[in-house]
Amino acid sequence: MEIDKLRENLAVILQTLNTPSLTHQIDQDPDFGVKVKELETLVEKINIQHGDNSMQSEDFSNVLSDLSSKIVEIESYCDLNLDKLSFLQNLKPLN
């Protein structure tokens, strides 16, 4: 597994989640903020464990599994919010 590439991709995800528009959303929805903080914690675990050569593969697998679940939760949350705006595609300008 390419851990360095995974870490780079996770850094981009966290950077995206910390953009001003999403930061505002986190302020408005504490549950979303909790999900983002949990994701940040899991990414930090991966970063810390990456430098630790004594890391147990089972522990690492558990962290990766938790990380995957958290990303799916955040993705589902974002998809639900996008669905709320789907009515906008039906708007047409007045002539």
Side-chain angles (χ1 to χ4, degrees), residues 10-25:
L10 291 172
V12 170
I13 290 171
L14 290 180
Q15 183 179 10
T16 302
L17 289 171
N18 286 310
T19 59
S21 60
L22 285 177
T23 302
H24 177 71
Q25 182 66 30

Side-chain angles (χ1 to χ4, degrees), residues 77-91:
Y77 177 87
C78 292
D79 287 347
L80 284 174
N81 283 323
L82 286 174
D83 284 343
K84 290 177 186 177
L85 297 175
S86 65
F87 74 93
L88 294 173
Q89 68 186 354
N90 296 324
L91 293 179

